[in-house]
Amino acid sequence: MVATLLCVGTLFAAPAHADNPIVQTIYTADPAPLVHNGRVYLYTGHDEDGSTYFTMKDWRVFSSADMVNWTDHGSPMSLATFAWAESDAWAGHVAARNGKFYWYVPVKQRGGGMVIGVGVADSPTGPFRDAIGRPLLGNGEIDPNVMIDDDGQAYLYWGNPNLWYVKLNQDMISYSGSPTKIPLTTAGFGTRTGNASRPTLYEEGPWVYKRNGVYYNVFAAECCGEFIAYSTAPGPTGPWTYRGTVMPRQGSSFTNHPGVIDFNGGSYFFYHNGALPGGGGFTRSVAVEKFSYNSDGTIPSMNMTTTGAPQVGTLNPYVRQEAETIAWSVGVETEPASEGGMNASFLSNGDYIKVKGVAFGAGASSFSARVASAGSGGTIEVRLGGPTGTRVGACTVPVTGGWQTWQTVSCPVTGATGTQDLYLRFTGGSGNLFNLNWWQFGTGSNPTPTPTTPAPTTPAPTTPPPTTPPAGQSCGVTYTQVGSWSGGYEGRLTITNTGGAAISGWRVTFSLPSGQSLSQGWNATFGQQGSQVTVTNAAYNGQLTTGGSTTAGFIASSTGTPQAPTSLTCTSS
């Protein structure tokens, strides 16, 4: 696995300072960035570990608000999305229109050749579904790219060995006219020598966009290995003029693939290489560089770096941050989390996650993390400046009873001030220690560390289950205070089927004492109106056999010493 390979971090230059490639948990290829609502969404292909060909079965999505810390949104589309597809989930492109997101991808059709399909979603992170139940078009060529012109006309470009375009209709899932071949002239796309059948430099991967009235076509040139070149034109279909090299032949991948965007006042060039351990032509990784256009609008030539793009702004540690938001990592994988989204997984002793440019301000006093472990548990070391940098806190992670059985732990933090690179280093015994879903820092007085909360002078309040459930009920609920700190506490509800038959759902109600309010909950849907709280089962934990139980948890703020909820009841369905 990639995560295993990355444990030998010395194979890649200066991991404490590197930010390229921007994803280390898997191999990624063929970047297609999209700017939407103040974030960059990065759509990629996924090279399977150990591939000796372009073995690709799904597509992936990542996003960032600062160009360095990237959140993994998993795989919202795969070959299985298209019932008619057989193999080869290759380089695609996403366009936003009509309040929807359209993902154009080349795949091999069952019993046929390469065609272009369209996935559609209501969110930039999916899930995507087959938009039309069949290929949009196909002529055996690949690498679709969409450009929507200022007049609203959308163009779909694609091709290897040729370059094609077609005009898409407003619905983005049909087109007008017939596919048209763009003439590949040496004036338009440069001169290739030694290959009479392909006289120009154009190879594949067109990325067409418009800037200041000029149309740019950035493309992969002259395999193999490829470099990145570009041409410009006064119109969306030409005539094209070859302008030169954007990125020379570099890296250990014999292919490359461009993506160009403007974001937050800067211009960015995405590409791929084989820079990760185990990387190469079939195990690639996406990277990014920031650049500035020359005064005449031409694109400067740029080199691959391990530094990557500079950070835009800072990251706020005082709101919940997903564990899969990563600037750099070693030994980390990700997987879908039962509570939604993704979680960092298969964490072993010495693995770590780097989060860049964390703005602690005057200082943090506590750290909380959502963890799960069916292994031996361990410790999250909170460090600054490097994986062995200053340790400002350490949270003990208990065995929770399952890799998706989540619990929140908290610990005090001292010395986390200013803007720092944060490193979460995972330590413990052998094998997989625990999973991590999210984390958050707090301010104010230091919390009592959890999960080993010392007994307060007044025992933590616990509401026992009723000995005889009220009429009509077949479930009981207990409350346990898991941990507390100045200004807040964590509570856990244990719901048990106390009846003689299975139940298909449950609902808990309780009242919070004055001065308390919910701030977050998990493993259920929480609602609060005044002091009254309603908790309804999640889709995955409503069914309980006789005697079976499940848990839900919450964090609440408190202006004084936490008091147990009152009027705690459970009803079933």
Side-chain angles (χ1 to χ4, degrees), residues 45 141 256 286 397 401 420 437:
E141 301 195 36
N256 204 342
V286 169
V397 177
Q420 308 259 11
N437 195 0

Side-chain angles (χ1 to χ4, degrees), residues 137-194:
L137 54 80
N139 60 4
E141 301 195 36
I142 60 173
D143 291 358
N145 163 254
V146 171
M147 187 274 297
I148 303 176
D149 210 346
D150 296 339
D151 62 2
Q153 178 61 61
Y155 295 82
L156 172 64
Y157 304 86
W158 77 100
N160 177 357
N162 302 294
L163 177 58
W164 300 82
Y165 80 90
V166 72
K167 291 184 177 182
L168 294 173
N169 294 327
Q170 184 72 25
D171 64 8
M172 301 296 284
I173 57 175
S174 63
Y175 57 89
S176 298
S178 300
T180 301
K181 189 183 296 186
I182 293 176
L184 292 177
T185 66
T186 55
F189 295 92
T191 302
R192 183 188 313 219
T193 59

Side-chain angles (χ1 to χ4, degrees), residues 511-524:
S511 296
L512 284 175
S514 177
Q516 297 183 16
S517 62
L518 288 179
S519 58
Q520 59 185 331
W522 49 89
N523 279 2

Side-chain angles (χ1 to χ4, degrees), residues 270-438:
F270 290 79
Y271 59 97
H272 69 226
N273 58 28
L276 288 183
F282 303 116
T283 44
R284 299 159 293 180
S285 296
V286 169
V288 64
E289 308 295 339
K290 187 178 183 181
F291 73 97
S292 297
Y293 290 88
N294 297 319
S295 58
D296 60 359
T298 55
I299 302 174
S301 180
M302 62 194 89
N303 294 313
M304 298 180 183
T305 73
T306 58
T307 305
Q311 187 169 8
V312 177
T314 56
L315 184 137
N316 181 2
Y318 301 114
V319 298
R320 171 173 158 171
Q321 297 289 347
E322 298 300 314
E324 64 274 16
T325 297
I326 297 171
W328 189 263
S329 65
V330 165
V332 176
E333 298 182 43
T334 61
E335 65 182 4
S338 63
E339 296 182 333
M342 304 286 283
N343 62 258
S345 58
F346 302 99
L347 305 176
S348 301
N349 184 52
D351 296 347
Y352 68 84
I353 290 172
K354 170 190 174 184
V355 184
K356 192 170 182 178
V358 177
F360 291 105
S365 62
S366 64
F367 174 81
S368 297
R370 190 77 171 149
V371 296
S373 176
S376 58
T379 301
I380 302 174
E381 296 182 351
V382 183
R383 294 182 177 269
L384 303 178
T388 58
T390 302
R391 194 174 94 162
V392 297
C395 276
T396 300
V397 177
V399 176
T400 65
W403 294 114
Q404 293 292 317
T405 303
W406 297 99
Q407 180 176 324
T408 303
V409 297
S410 300
C411 55
V413 169
T414 56
T417 61
T419 298
Q420 308 259 11
D421 290 348
L422 168 69
Y423 288 77
L424 302 179
R425 186 170 182 264
F426 314 115
T427 61
S430 60
N432 297 326
L433 304 177
F434 52 85
N435 292 341
L436 176 63
N437 195 0
W438 53 259

